[in-house]
Amino acid sequence: MRVLPTAIAAAGLGLAATPSLAADIQISVELPQIQTAAYHRPYVAIWLETPDQTAVRTLAVWYQQTPNREGDGRDWLKDLRTWWRKGGRAMTMPADGVSGPTRAAGRQSITIPARRLSGVAAGQYNLVVEAAREQGGREAVRVPIRWGAANAGSGQGSTELGAVRVTVTR
């Protein structure tokens, strides 16, 4: 007899706890066209971290996934130094729903569905975008957001990244 009331109470608590999870994150990243003789598409990592810069979850990693004479791109993921040190080295690539191929110059948009952020408590975070390019530079842009409430933020890179826009929807 006690199982049913407990199950109903647990279901009610689950509904009360889901408002912070009922949001998607829309991310727009501008990859600038860099005029150089040997242009290589950048590797990009996108992750969520706390204000004290503790990594919470990797959201996307774009890297070369097709093998060539030098192997595949996993060997160079460590060039995304900040992401690599904060948790990238512990990941197995390719990672379903996280990893994808490099992207061309221009505006690139992705949406992270709320279900991929289950277990992330409501609160202040930074969404970090880091880019590194062979025979190029490396750059990271941090955009403060509030998970659990509709809001938007933006940041601006100077070399390897352009505008970064983040929208948390309800």
Side-chain angles (χ1 to χ4, degrees):
M1 289 288 181
R2 290 186 176 176
V3 173
L4 185 58
T6 303
I8 292 171
L13 287 175
L15 289 174
T18 56
S20 67
L21 302 177
D24 294 338
I25 297 180
Q26 297 172 347
I27 305 164
S28 171
V29 177
E30 187 74 31
L31 300 175
Q33 179 65 49
I34 297 171
Q35 300 301 321
T36 181
Y39 177 79
H40 298 276
R41 290 180 175 185
Y43 282 24
V44 175
I46 303 171
W47 72 95
L48 205 57
E49 68 181 19
T50 59
D52 69 356
Q53 298 187 4
T54 302
V56 174
R57 182 143 326 152
T58 297
L59 305 176
V61 180
W62 304 335
Y63 69 100
Q64 175 197 328
Q65 296 184 312
T66 54
N68 64 16
R69 68 183 185 285
E70 298 173 348
D72 66 22
R74 288 181 286 189
D75 292 340
W76 293 279
L77 287 172
K78 60 185 165 279
D79 290 344
L80 295 164
R81 291 193 306 247
T82 305
W83 168 77
W84 183 256
R85 291 175 183 151
K86 289 179 181 276
R89 76 177 78 186
M91 291 186 70
T92 301
M93 289 294 174
D96 191 34
V98 173
S99 59
T102 58
R103 309 248 179 135
R107 181 177 297 142
Q108 304 296 331
S109 298
I110 60 171
T111 298
I112 307 299
R115 69 180 175 277
R116 290 241 339 259
L117 295 165
S118 64
V120 175
Q124 283 297 128
Y125 293 92
N126 291 319
L127 186 126
V128 186
V129 179
E130 181 179 23
R133 195 170 47 83
E134 182 181 356
Q135 298 177 358
R138 186 189 69 79
E139 183 172 29
V141 173
R142 284 183 168 74
V143 179
I145 63 165
R146 177 149 185 82
W147 177 240
N151 66 97
S154 63
Q156 180 68 42
S158 60
T159 56
E160 299 298 326
L161 292 167
V164 175
R165 292 181 180 80
V166 182
T167 304
V168 179
T169 59
R170 293 293 294 163

